[in-house]
Structure formats: C-alpha cells, structure tokens
Amino acid sequence: MTPQTRDSPRARHAALHSRLRAGAYFDAATLAKQTVQDGIRLRRTTLEILVEALCKKTSSVVLSARRKVTGPPKLCSDDFLHAGTRMAYELLSLARERGQPRTLRMYYAMIKTCKGRGELVNAALIFAQLAQDWQAYEPTVRARSGPRSDALREEGVMYRPKKDPLLPPYPRVEQMNSIVRDISNIISQPPTSPDGDERFQEALQAFAVLVCLIDESHMHFGSLATIFSTIYRSPRTDHRVWVTREGTPAFVNASRYFYRVLARVIDAILGKDTMALPTLDKRAYNSLLYFVLCHRKNRAQASRILEHMCDPSGRNMKPTVDTFNVFTNAGIALGKLDLSKAALQALQHARARIHSDPTGLWISGAFASVPAVTDSFTTQEG
C-alpha cells in the first residue's frame, strides 16, 4: 500500500478530527478553511460539528461594536460580535463559495446563536441568504422533479431531491418565525431608554430584512401569518430602516414601509399589483382577513380575499374554524353583531354546505351580503 502523504485528504481529516477531539476549535476551523481552499472536500458531519462547536464557544470579549447601519445591511464577518460566530460564518461562507456541503443544522446553529446574543440583523440576513440561494436553485429543482414538484408547489410545499450535494438547504418557516418572534417581543412596546432604543432600531432593521424578501418576491413559502400579524399588531413608530427597492437602496419610515408591503400583498390577491406571491397557507389568509376587517374595516375586501382562498381554480382551501373566528371576533370588536351572527350561522351549516358546495364560495357570499362597515376607511399604509 502506498503510504499516505502529509497533505492527502485522509491526513487532513485525521488532523482536523484530532483538533476537534482536543477542543481546539479555532485551530480546527483554520485547518478546515485551508482544506476547503485547497479543493479537498470535507464531510458534512465534520462541518456540522465544527460550526456548532464554534457557535457554542462563548467569550466575554466583544470583537466589534454593534452594527451601525448606514445602508442596506449585508452579511460581513466583521459585523459578528464574537470570535466563535465570526469564524463559523467565515467557514460557512467559504463552504458556500466552494460548493462544500451545507446543511440546515449549520444554519440553525448560526441563527440560534445570533438570536441569543442579540444580533437579530445577522440572524435575519442569514435566513435571507438561505431564501435567496434556494430561489436561485428552485428552477433546477422543478426541472428535475417535473409534475411532482408542480403538484407539491400548489400545496405550498417544495419538492427537494435527495442526496444532491450542490443543493442549498431548504429554509424552513420555523427558522423565520423564531426570528420574527424575538423581533416582535422587542418592537411590540416603544423604547423607554437609549439602550432600549438601540435594540428597538436593530429589531426594526432585522424585520425590514425579512419583509423585504416579500416585497422583492424572494419569499419561497406562503406561511407568512407571523410576519403579517407582527406588522399590524406593532405600534407605529418614526424610526427609519434601510431597504432595497428594485435594486435601489432607500431609507424609509419603518411602519409605513411595513404597511405598504402588506397592502401590496392584498392588492396582489385582488389583482391590483403584479407582486409575485407564493402560495399562501390558511393561517396567512386568516391573518389578512383579520387585518382588512379590524384595521381597514373593509368587508368587501375580506369577501374577495375569502373568494381567492376558496377559488377551486387556484388555492381551493376550505375555511377552518379559525376563519370563522376571525369574522366572529371582528364583528364583536367593531360592534357589528350582524357580522358575528353571519359567521356563527355559517359555522353551524358548514359541514352540510361543504358537501353540496365543496369550494366554500357560499361562505364568501354570506359575509358579503352583510352591509359594509364603512364606505370610507384609511388603508393605514402611511
């Protein structure tokens, strides 16, 4: 047997695992980066263990000041506050550049660590990168999977071929929602101190990164209820955020921008906007129904959104109990008992009617027949 040379792939892996076992994670990461640059393929599990270990490596030393946003934020290793996450990002970025294996486990570790250390902008940017990488690869996936992919896409699910080393990880809605929940906890109340204002500004900017994915048609799934509800449940603010509009940076009022994107989503459903929307799920539709009923006070729009949801030629989604609850609660909140009564009557007859009219369009007609709440309303975009 030919003796292995010092720089053979086997020797590199042996040296890398030796450092990992010794707990020398930064030395292991340096060797891993050199191995990737030399074109030697690393094992998936090795990279997973190394990225997770670097993210868990805690240090009281902060390498840089908190990000000062002077333009649309971008991922940069210098913007990570701690050495472990900075090295983990550099390794993950190099693996992305050189076609090395990347998994959700690695990105989960990065996002979880950034959230835990208050780096919400970095967490949002990591997820945005995942979403954009997947969108760029999606046409290839659809071409390979054919009719099966198209059928799953109509259900809001993307078919992912297995054992494809070049395929970027599929970003999950749970990842995004975990970031949005942390953001919502901060922006749900106005700041009361300078430190609180800094956290508030960072949370708004992180939220703008995610909302911009919808505005620029980069969002690949329709489970957007958490984003929609965070927009209309958060108080108005005069804070400004950086966004990108058709490739052009813009420094805009945060609240106005968020409501404008929400209005664009509704207009796209109503056929008034060319925004490319993913297939929304039922929770997203219910969230939009609540917004147009309780905030816009526009029952006609609610009826049209419900028709779009139940359209047999499109989504063909049957309303759920939550859908009826939206109308019932809206009627109570607005003091319009006729709306609540219509919802309760529709719910009582739902099972029988769905058998005779499975599209659910009869429900929209029942609600549309109730007199409009008001003829003049504010869209709350600005």
Side-chain angles (χ1 to χ4, degrees):
M1 179 181 294
T2 303
Q4 60 183 7
T5 62
R6 183 184 177 193
D7 288 333
S8 70
R10 183 173 295 181
R12 288 287 185 96
H13 280 93
L16 182 56
H17 281 272
S18 175
R19 287 165 171 77
L20 283 173
R21 286 192 294 271
Y25 301 126
F26 289 100
D27 288 345
T30 301
L31 179 60
K33 288 168 62 178
Q34 185 60 52
T35 302
V36 171
Q37 289 171 341
D38 290 344
I40 299 175
R41 190 168 188 81
L42 292 176
R43 298 186 183 95
R44 173 180 56 82
T45 51
T46 301
L47 281 173
E48 285 178 341
I49 293 171
L50 182 52
V51 168
E52 286 185 334
L54 288 168
C55 288
K56 292 177 182 177
K57 190 74 173 177
T58 58
S59 172
S60 59
V61 179
V62 177
L63 298 181
S64 61
R66 190 167 293 277
R67 177 194 296 269
K68 299 294 183 183
V69 180
T70 58
K74 298 180 180 179
L75 275 175
C76 175
S77 62
D78 290 341
D79 288 323
F80 288 89
L81 302 183
H82 297 269
T85 46
R86 179 176 294 188
M87 181 65 84
Y89 171 71
E90 291 175 355
L91 181 59
L92 199 56
S93 181
L94 187 61
R96 176 174 177 261
E97 177 187 333
R98 299 300 180 92
Q100 292 278 348
R102 293 172 291 139
T103 67
L104 273 181
R105 184 176 165 184
M106 302 177 199
Y107 284 95
Y108 269 131
M110 287 290 297
I111 291 174
K112 181 179 179 181
T113 303
C114 287
K115 290 195 308 146
R117 293 175 177 170
E119 301 178 57
L120 290 177
V121 173
N122 284 335
L125 287 171
I126 291 170
F127 179 84
Q129 184 184 84
L130 259 180
Q132 291 169 344
D133 283 354
W134 178 263
Q135 189 186 52
Y137 202 89
E138 184 180 344
T140 304
V141 175
R142 297 187 68 192
R144 292 181 185 180
S145 50
R148 182 181 179 187
S149 173
D150 293 335
L152 290 173
R153 186 181 178 85
E154 289 302 317
E155 301 173 10
V157 179
M158 175 52 62
Y159 171 66
R160 181 184 180 193
K162 296 181 179 179
K163 298 181 181 179
D164 187 343
L166 297 180
L167 185 65
Y170 178 74
R172 304 287 183 179
V173 65
E174 294 83 4
Q175 288 178 315
M176 183 193 73
N177 285 344
S178 70
I179 301 171
V180 175
R181 281 192 293 270
D182 283 10
I183 292 171
S184 181
N185 289 337
I186 297 173
I187 66 176
S188 59
Q189 298 292 334
T192 57
S193 67
D195 289 342
D197 188 73
E198 187 176 356
R199 292 178 66 244
F200 190 85
Q201 179 65 51
E202 169 140 354
L204 284 175
Q205 184 60 66
F207 194 47
V209 170
L210 299 177
V211 174
C212 201
L213 289 175
I214 303 174
D215 195 26
E216 296 291 305
S217 301
H218 293 315
M219 195 65 81
H220 57 289
F221 52 67
S223 302
L224 302 177
T226 307
I227 285 186
F228 294 159
S229 61
T230 300
I231 291 175
Y232 59 70
R233 287 175 180 168
S234 300
R236 294 298 189 112
T237 177
D238 293 328
H239 288 70
R240 301 172 74 85
V241 292
W242 282 98
V243 298
T244 302
R245 289 179 174 173
E246 298 179 354
T248 303
F251 194 49
V252 299
N253 177 279
S255 295
R256 291 177 184 173
Y257 175 71
F258 299 152
Y259 274 98
R260 186 187 72 84
V261 174
L262 190 57
R264 283 197 67 199
V265 171
I266 294 171
D267 286 344
I269 290 175
L270 302 181
K272 299 178 181 179
D273 194 290
T274 57
M275 171 189 282
L277 273 180
T279 302
L280 300 179
D281 65 4
K282 291 180 182 180
R283 290 187 65 243
Y285 275 109
N286 290 340
S287 186
L288 291 176
L289 287 170
Y290 182 88
F291 173 69
V292 297
L293 283 170
C294 293
H295 291 259
R296 286 188 162 186
K297 301 179 174 63
N298 190 321
R299 199 167 311 171
Q301 281 193 349
S303 178
R304 292 186 61 187
I305 290 173
L306 193 59
E307 287 180 3
H308 190 270
M309 172 181 174
C310 301
D311 186 359
S313 63
R315 275 67 178 171
N316 194 21
M317 296 180 181
K318 296 181 179 65
T320 64
V321 172
D322 291 335
T323 308
F324 293 107
N325 286 340
V326 167
F327 283 92
T328 302
N329 294 334
I332 295 172
L334 299 172
K336 298 293 180 179
L337 298 183
D338 52 352
L339 184 60
S340 298
K341 183 178 179 181
L344 290 172
Q345 289 175 345
L347 181 58
Q348 290 172 356
H349 298 288
R351 291 185 178 179
R353 294 298 299 274
I354 285 176
H355 286 299
S356 60
D357 184 4
T359 65
L361 293 178
W362 59 274
I363 302 171
S364 176
F367 291 127
S369 64
V370 182
V373 175
T374 179
D375 293 329
S376 60
F377 61 91
T378 303
T379 62
Q380 296 197 16
E381 293 172 40

